[in-house]
Structures are given as structure tokens and as C-alpha cells.
Amino acid sequence: VSSLVAGKVVEQRAFATDPGKGFVAVQLDNGLTVVSAHISYGERAAGQLDELASWVRTRVARPVVIGGDFNAD
């Protein structure tokens, strides 16, 4: 259970297109990165998902878990 593993916040970001939405990433001491995201519904979602994916691709060592509220149908 990852909640029993210590870690630190490595990124906390609000999306410019909707400051009420964004993501937080925590690097756990066991090597797992956990990202929790809140994505807008509608036309802003694609850009926010691209921003999140770009950050993960360039900044996160594997393994990574991404979850959250994606406001998808």
C-alpha cells in the first residue's frame, strides 16, 4: 500500500487555462511516482492532458501511476 511509503511532492501545478484545475505529483521513497490530476471538461481538456503527459514524459522516472478526475464521458 503506497500510503504507507514516505515521499515528497515534486510538482504542484494549476493549468493556465483553468486555474481551478491542475495536478500534483508525489515521488515515493519506493521509486513510484503518483500523480493526481483534475482536468477540465470540454475543449480545454486536450491541452491540459497534453501538458500533463509532457510533464510525465520529461520529468518522471518509471514507474508512474496517474489518476484523478478526468471529466470524461
Side-chain angles (χ1 to χ4, degrees), residues 45-56:
Q48 293 170 0
L49 290 167
D50 285 344
E51 183 178 340
L52 174 60
S54 176
W55 185 86
V56 169

Side-chain angles (χ1 to χ4, degrees):
V1 176
S2 62
S3 63
L4 301 176
V5 178
K8 67 177 184 171
V9 173
V10 293
E11 184 74 20
Q12 187 171 330
R13 181 181 301 188
F15 296 119
T17 56
D18 188 348
K21 308 291 189 288
F23 67 92
V24 61
V26 176
Q27 176 72 52
L28 301 178
D29 289 348
N30 67 3
L32 178 67
T33 299
V34 179
V35 181
S36 178
H38 191 182
I39 305 297
S40 298
Y41 181 79
E43 61 189 43
R44 294 180 286 189
Q48 293 170 0
L49 290 167
D50 285 344
E51 183 178 340
L52 174 60
S54 176
W55 185 86
V56 169
R57 280 193 302 270
T58 61
R59 302 283 305 279
V60 175
R62 304 306 185 261
V64 61
V65 174
I66 303 171
D69 183 348
F70 293 93
N71 282 307
D73 291 333

